[in-house]
Coordinates of all heavy atoms in Angstrom, one line a residue:
K402 N 166.7 -226.7 9.5 CA 167.9 -227.3 9.0 C 168.8 -227.6 10.2 O 169.6 -228.6 10.1 CB 168.6 -226.4 8.0 CG 167.8 -226.1 6.7 CD 167.6 -227.4 5.9 CE 167.0 -227.0 4.6 NZ 165.5 -227.1 4.6
N403 N 168.7 -226.9 11.2 CA 169.6 -227.1 12.4 C 168.7 -226.8 13.6 O 167.9 -225.9 13.7 CB 170.8 -226.1 12.4 CG 171.7 -226.4 11.2 OD1 172.5 -227.3 11.3 ND2 171.6 -225.6 10.2
V404 N 168.9 -227.7 14.6 CA 168.3 -227.5 15.9 C 169.4 -227.6 17.0 O 170.2 -228.5 17.0 CB 167.3 -228.6 16.2 CG1 166.6 -228.4 17.6 CG2 166.2 -228.6 15.1
Y405 N 169.4 -226.5 17.8 CA 170.5 -226.4 18.8 C 169.9 -226.7 20.2 O 169.0 -226.0 20.7 CB 171.1 -225.0 18.8 CG 171.7 -224.7 17.4 CD1 170.9 -224.0 16.4 CD2 173.0 -225.0 17.1 CE1 171.4 -223.7 15.2 CE2 173.5 -224.7 15.9 CZ 172.7 -224.0 14.9 OH 173.3 -223.7 13.7
L406 N 170.4 -227.8 20.8 CA 170.0 -228.1 22.2 C 171.1 -227.8 23.1 O 172.3 -228.3 22.9 CB 169.7 -229.6 22.2 CG 169.4 -230.2 23.6 CD1 168.2 -229.5 24.3 CD2 169.1 -231.7 23.5
R407 N 170.9 -227.0 24.1 CA 171.9 -226.5 25.1 C 171.3 -226.7 26.5 O 170.3 -226.2 26.8 CB 172.3 -225.1 24.8 CG 173.2 -224.5 25.9 CD 173.4 -223.0 25.5 NE 174.1 -222.3 26.6 CZ 175.2 -221.6 26.4 NH1 175.6 -221.3 25.2 NH2 175.7 -221.0 27.5
I408 N 172.1 -227.3 27.3 CA 171.8 -227.5 28.7 C 173.0 -227.0 29.6 O 174.1 -227.5 29.4 CB 171.5 -229.0 29.1 CG1 170.3 -229.4 28.3 CG2 171.2 -229.1 30.6 CD1 169.9 -230.8 28.5
E409 N 172.7 -226.1 30.4 CA 173.8 -225.4 31.2 C 173.4 -225.4 32.7 O 172.2 -225.0 33.1 CB 174.0 -224.0 30.7 CG 175.0 -223.2 31.5 CD 175.2 -221.8 30.9 OE1 174.4 -221.4 30.0 OE2 176.1 -221.1 31.4
R410 N 174.4 -225.7 33.5 CA 174.2 -225.6 35.0 C 175.0 -224.4 35.5 O 176.2 -224.3 35.2 CB 174.6 -226.9 35.7 CG 174.4 -226.8 37.2 CD 174.8 -228.1 37.8 NE 174.7 -228.0 39.3 CZ 174.8 -229.1 40.1 NH1 175.1 -230.3 39.6 NH2 174.7 -228.9 41.4
A411 N 174.3 -223.5 36.2 CA 175.0 -222.4 36.8 C 176.1 -222.8 37.8 O 175.9 -223.8 38.5 CB 174.1 -221.4 37.4
A412 N 177.2 -222.0 37.9 CA 178.3 -222.4 38.7 C 177.9 -222.2 40.2 O 178.5 -222.9 41.1 CB 179.5 -221.6 38.4
S413 N 177.1 -221.3 40.5 CA 176.8 -221.0 41.9 C 176.0 -222.1 42.5 O 175.3 -222.9 41.8 CB 176.0 -219.7 42.0 OG 174.8 -219.8 41.3
I414 N 176.0 -222.2 43.8 CA 175.4 -223.3 44.5 C 173.9 -223.2 44.3 O 173.2 -224.2 44.1 CB 175.7 -223.3 46.0 CG1 177.2 -223.5 46.2 CG2 175.0 -224.4 46.8 CD1 177.7 -223.5 47.6
D415 N 173.3 -222.0 44.4 CA 171.9 -221.9 44.3 C 171.5 -221.4 42.9 O 170.6 -220.6 42.8 CB 171.4 -220.8 45.3 CG 172.1 -219.5 45.2 OD1 173.1 -219.5 44.5 OD2 171.7 -218.5 45.8
G416 N 172.2 -221.9 41.9 CA 171.9 -221.5 40.6 C 170.8 -222.3 39.9 O 169.9 -222.9 40.6
L417 N 170.7 -222.2 38.6 CA 169.7 -222.9 37.9 C 170.2 -223.8 36.9 O 171.4 -223.8 36.5 CB 168.9 -221.8 37.1 CG 168.2 -220.7 37.9 CD1 167.6 -219.7 37.0 CD2 167.0 -221.3 38.8
V418 N 169.4 -224.7 36.4 CA 169.7 -225.5 35.2 C 168.8 -225.0 34.1 O 167.6 -225.0 34.2 CB 169.4 -227.0 35.5 CG1 169.7 -227.8 34.2 CG2 170.3 -227.5 36.6
A419 N 169.5 -224.5 33.0 CA 168.7 -223.9 31.9 C 168.8 -224.8 30.7 O 169.9 -225.2 30.3 CB 169.3 -222.5 31.6
L420 N 167.7 -225.1 30.1 CA 167.6 -225.9 28.9 C 167.1 -225.0 27.8 O 166.0 -224.4 27.9 CB 166.6 -227.1 29.1 CG 166.5 -228.1 27.9 CD1 166.2 -229.5 28.5 CD2 165.3 -227.7 27.0
T421 N 167.8 -224.9 26.7 CA 167.5 -224.1 25.6 C 167.4 -224.9 24.3 O 168.4 -225.6 24.0 CB 168.5 -222.9 25.4 OG1 168.6 -222.2 26.6 CG2 168.1 -222.0 24.3
V422 N 166.3 -224.7 23.6 CA 166.2 -225.4 22.3 C 165.9 -224.3 21.3 O 164.9 -223.6 21.4 CB 165.1 -226.5 22.3 CG1 164.9 -227.1 20.9 CG2 165.4 -227.5 23.3
E423 N 166.7 -224.2 20.2 CA 166.5 -223.1 19.2 C 166.6 -223.7 17.8 O 167.5 -224.6 17.6 CB 167.6 -222.0 19.4 CG 167.4 -220.9 18.4 CD 168.5 -219.8 18.7 OE1 169.0 -219.7 19.8 OE2 168.8 -219.0 17.8
D424 N 165.7 -223.3 17.0 CA 165.8 -223.9 15.6 C 165.8 -222.7 14.6 O 165.7 -221.5 15.0 CB 164.6 -224.8 15.3 CG 163.3 -224.0 15.4 OD1 163.0 -223.1 14.7 OD2 162.5 -224.4 16.3
D425 N 166.0 -223.0 13.3 CA 166.1 -222.0 12.3 C 165.0 -222.3 11.2 O 165.2 -221.9 10.1 CB 167.5 -222.0 11.6 CG 167.8 -223.4 11.0 OD1 167.0 -224.3 11.2 OD2 168.9 -223.5 10.5
G426 N 163.9 -222.8 11.7 CA 162.8 -223.1 10.8 C 161.6 -222.1 10.8 O 160.5 -222.5 10.4
G427 N 161.9 -220.9 11.2 CA 160.8 -219.9 11.2 C 159.9 -220.2 12.4 O 160.3 -220.5 13.4
G428 N 158.6 -220.1 12.1 CA 157.7 -220.3 13.2 C 157.3 -219.1 13.9 O 157.9 -218.0 13.8
D429 N 156.1 -219.2 14.6 CA 155.5 -218.1 15.3 C 155.6 -218.4 16.8 O 154.9 -219.3 17.3 CB 154.1 -217.8 14.9 CG 153.5 -216.6 15.5 OD1 154.2 -215.9 16.3 OD2 152.3 -216.3 15.2
A430 N 156.4 -217.6 17.6 CA 156.5 -217.9 19.0 C 155.3 -217.6 19.8 O 154.9 -218.4 20.7 CB 157.7 -217.0 19.6
S431 N 154.5 -216.6 19.4 CA 153.3 -216.3 20.1 C 152.2 -217.4 19.9 O 151.5 -217.7 20.8 CB 152.7 -214.9 19.6 OG 152.4 -215.0 18.2
R432 N 152.2 -218.0 18.7 CA 151.3 -219.1 18.5 C 151.6 -220.3 19.3 O 150.8 -221.0 19.8 CB 151.3 -219.4 17.0 CG 150.3 -220.5 16.6 CD 150.3 -220.6 15.1 NE 149.3 -221.7 14.7 CZ 149.2 -222.1 13.4 NH1 149.9 -221.5 12.4 NH2 148.3 -223.1 13.1
L433 N 153.0 -220.6 19.4 CA 153.4 -221.7 20.1 C 153.2 -221.5 21.6 O 152.8 -222.4 22.3 CB 154.9 -222.0 19.9 CG 155.6 -223.1 20.6 CD1 154.9 -224.4 20.2 CD2 157.0 -223.2 20.3
A434 N 153.3 -220.3 22.1 CA 153.1 -220.0 23.5 C 151.7 -220.2 23.9 O 151.4 -220.6 25.1 CB 153.6 -218.6 23.8
T435 N 150.8 -219.9 23.0 CA 149.3 -220.0 23.4 C 148.7 -221.4 23.0 O 147.5 -221.6 23.0 CB 148.5 -218.9 22.7 OG1 148.8 -218.9 21.3 CG2 149.0 -217.6 23.3
A436 N 149.6 -222.3 22.5 CA 149.1 -223.6 22.0 C 148.6 -224.4 23.2 O 149.1 -224.3 24.3 CB 150.2 -224.4 21.3
S437 N 147.6 -225.2 23.0 CA 146.9 -225.9 24.1 C 147.2 -227.4 23.9 O 146.4 -228.2 24.4 CB 145.4 -225.6 24.1 OG 144.8 -226.0 22.8
G438 N 148.2 -227.8 23.1 CA 148.5 -229.2 22.9 C 149.0 -229.9 24.2 O 149.5 -229.2 25.1
H439 N 149.0 -231.2 24.1 CA 149.5 -231.9 25.3 C 151.0 -231.8 25.5 O 151.5 -231.9 26.6 CB 149.1 -233.4 25.2 CG 147.7 -233.6 25.2 ND1 146.9 -233.5 26.3 CD2 146.8 -234.0 24.2 CE1 145.6 -233.8 26.0 NE2 145.5 -234.1 24.7
G440 N 151.8 -231.5 24.4 CA 153.2 -231.4 24.5 C 153.6 -230.2 25.4 O 154.3 -230.3 26.3
I441 N 153.1 -229.0 25.0 CA 153.4 -227.8 25.7 C 152.8 -227.9 27.1 O 153.4 -227.4 28.1 CB 152.8 -226.6 25.0 CG1 153.6 -226.4 23.6 CG2 152.9 -225.3 25.8 CD1 155.0 -226.0 23.8
L442 N 151.6 -228.4 27.2 CA 151.0 -228.6 28.6 C 151.9 -229.4 29.5 O 152.1 -229.1 30.6 CB 149.6 -229.2 28.5 CG 148.9 -229.4 29.8 CD1 148.7 -228.0 30.5 CD2 147.5 -230.0 29.5
G443 N 152.4 -230.5 28.9 CA 153.3 -231.4 29.7 C 154.6 -230.7 30.1 O 155.1 -230.8 31.3
I444 N 155.2 -229.9 29.2 CA 156.4 -229.1 29.6 C 156.1 -228.1 30.7 O 156.8 -228.0 31.6 CB 156.9 -228.4 28.3 CG1 157.4 -229.4 27.3 CG2 158.0 -227.4 28.7 CD1 157.8 -228.8 26.0
R445 N 155.0 -227.5 30.6 CA 154.6 -226.5 31.6 C 154.4 -227.2 33.0 O 154.9 -226.6 34.0 CB 153.3 -225.8 31.2 CG 153.5 -224.8 30.1 CD 152.1 -224.3 29.7 NE 152.2 -223.3 28.5 CZ 151.2 -222.8 27.9 NH1 149.9 -223.2 28.2 NH2 151.4 -222.0 26.9
E446 N 153.8 -228.3 33.0 CA 153.5 -229.0 34.2 C 154.8 -229.5 34.9 O 155.0 -229.4 36.1 CB 152.5 -230.2 34.0 CG 151.1 -229.8 33.7 CD 150.4 -229.0 34.8 OE1 150.8 -229.3 35.9 OE2 149.6 -228.2 34.5
R447 N 155.7 -230.0 34.1 CA 157.0 -230.4 34.6 C 157.8 -229.3 35.2 O 158.4 -229.4 36.2 CB 157.8 -231.1 33.5 CG 157.3 -232.5 33.1 CD 158.2 -233.1 32.0 NE 157.6 -234.4 31.6 CZ 157.8 -235.6 32.2 NH1 158.6 -235.6 33.3 NH2 157.3 -236.7 31.8
I448 N 157.8 -228.1 34.5 CA 158.5 -227.0 35.0 C 157.9 -226.4 36.3 O 158.5 -226.1 37.2 CB 158.6 -225.9 33.9 CG1 159.4 -226.4 32.7 CG2 159.2 -224.6 34.5 CD1 159.5 -225.5 31.5
A449 N 156.5 -226.4 36.3 CA 155.8 -225.9 37.5 C 156.1 -226.8 38.7 O 156.1 -226.3 39.8 CB 154.3 -225.8 37.2
A450 N 156.2 -228.0 38.5 CA 156.5 -229.0 39.6 C 157.8 -228.6 40.3 O 157.9 -228.9 41.5 CB 156.5 -230.4 39.1
F451 N 158.7 -228.0 39.6 CA 160.0 -227.7 40.3 C 160.1 -226.2 40.6 O 161.2 -225.7 41.0 CB 161.2 -228.1 39.4 CG 161.3 -229.6 39.3 CD1 160.7 -230.3 38.2 CD2 162.1 -230.2 40.2 CE1 160.9 -231.6 38.1 CE2 162.3 -231.6 40.1 CZ 161.7 -232.3 39.1
G452 N 159.0 -225.4 40.4 CA 159.0 -224.0 40.6 C 159.9 -223.2 39.6 O 160.5 -222.2 39.9
G453 N 160.0 -223.7 38.4 CA 160.8 -223.1 37.4 C 160.0 -222.1 36.5 O 158.9 -221.7 36.8
S454 N 160.6 -221.7 35.4 CA 159.9 -220.8 34.5 C 160.2 -221.2 33.1 O 161.2 -221.9 32.8 CB 160.5 -219.4 34.7 OG 161.9 -219.3 34.4
L455 N 159.3 -220.8 32.2 CA 159.3 -221.2 30.8 C 159.1 -219.9 30.0 O 158.3 -219.1 30.3 CB 158.2 -222.2 30.4 CG 158.1 -222.5 28.9 CD1 159.3 -223.3 28.4 CD2 156.8 -223.3 28.7
S456 N 160.0 -219.7 29.0 CA 159.8 -218.6 28.1 C 160.0 -219.1 26.6 O 160.8 -219.9 26.3 CB 160.9 -217.5 28.3 OG 162.2 -218.0 28.0
I457 N 159.1 -218.6 25.8 CA 159.1 -218.9 24.4 C 159.2 -217.6 23.6 O 158.3 -216.7 23.8 CB 157.8 -219.7 23.9 CG1 157.7 -221.0 24.7 CG2 157.8 -219.9 22.5 CD1 156.4 -221.8 24.4
S458 N 160.2 -217.4 22.8 CA 160.5 -216.2 22.1 C 161.0 -216.4 20.7 O 161.3 -217.6 20.3 CB 161.5 -215.3 22.9 OG 162.7 -216.1 23.0
D459 N 161.0 -215.4 19.9 CA 161.5 -215.5 18.5 C 163.0 -215.5 18.6 O 163.7 -214.6 19.2 CB 161.0 -214.3 17.7 CG 159.5 -214.4 17.5 OD1 159.0 -215.5 17.3 OD2 158.8 -213.3 17.5
A460 N 163.6 -216.4 17.8 CA 165.1 -216.4 17.6 C 165.5 -215.7 16.4 O 164.6 -215.0 15.7 CB 165.6 -217.9 17.6
A461 N 166.7 -215.8 16.0 CA 167.2 -215.1 14.8 C 166.5 -215.5 13.5 O 166.0 -214.7 12.7 CB 168.7 -215.3 14.6
R462 N 166.3 -216.9 13.4 CA 165.6 -217.4 12.2 C 164.6 -218.5 12.6 O 164.2 -219.3 11.8 CB 166.6 -218.0 11.3 CG 167.5 -217.0 10.6 CD 168.5 -217.6 9.6 NE 169.4 -218.6 10.3 CZ 170.3 -219.3 9.6 NH1 170.3 -219.3 8.3 NH2 171.1 -220.1 10.3
G463 N 164.1 -218.5 13.9 CA 163.2 -219.5 14.2 C 162.6 -219.2 15.6 O 162.3 -218.0 15.9
V464 N 162.5 -220.2 16.4 CA 161.8 -220.1 17.7 C 162.8 -220.6 18.8 O 163.5 -221.6 18.6 CB 160.5 -220.9 17.8 CG1 159.9 -220.8 19.2 CG2 159.5 -220.3 16.8
R465 N 162.8 -219.9 19.9 CA 163.7 -220.3 21.0 C 162.8 -220.6 22.3 O 162.0 -219.8 22.7 CB 164.7 -219.2 21.4 CG 165.6 -219.6 22.6 CD 166.4 -218.4 23.0 NE 167.3 -217.9 22.0 CZ 167.2 -216.8 21.4 NH1 166.2 -215.9 21.7 NH2 168.1 -216.4 20.4

Side-chain angles (χ1 to χ4, degrees):
K402 297 293 189 266
N403 295 280
V404 179
Y405 301 91
L406 173 60
R407 172 185 172 131
I408 299 179
E409 179 181 6
R410 177 176 179 175
S413 59
I414 298 178
D415 56 347
L417 300 172
V418 177
L420 182 149
T421 304
V422 178
E423 181 178 339
D424 61 63
D425 57 1
D429 187 0
S431 60
R432 182 177 179 182
L433 179 61
T435 56
S437 58
H439 295 288
I441 294 294
L442 180 60
I444 292 175
R445 291 174 178 171
E446 292 295 333
R447 289 184 181 275
I448 294 174
F451 291 91
S454 62
L455 173 67
S456 67
I457 301 177
S458 60
D459 292 322
R462 292 183 295 175
V464 176
R465 180 187 297 109

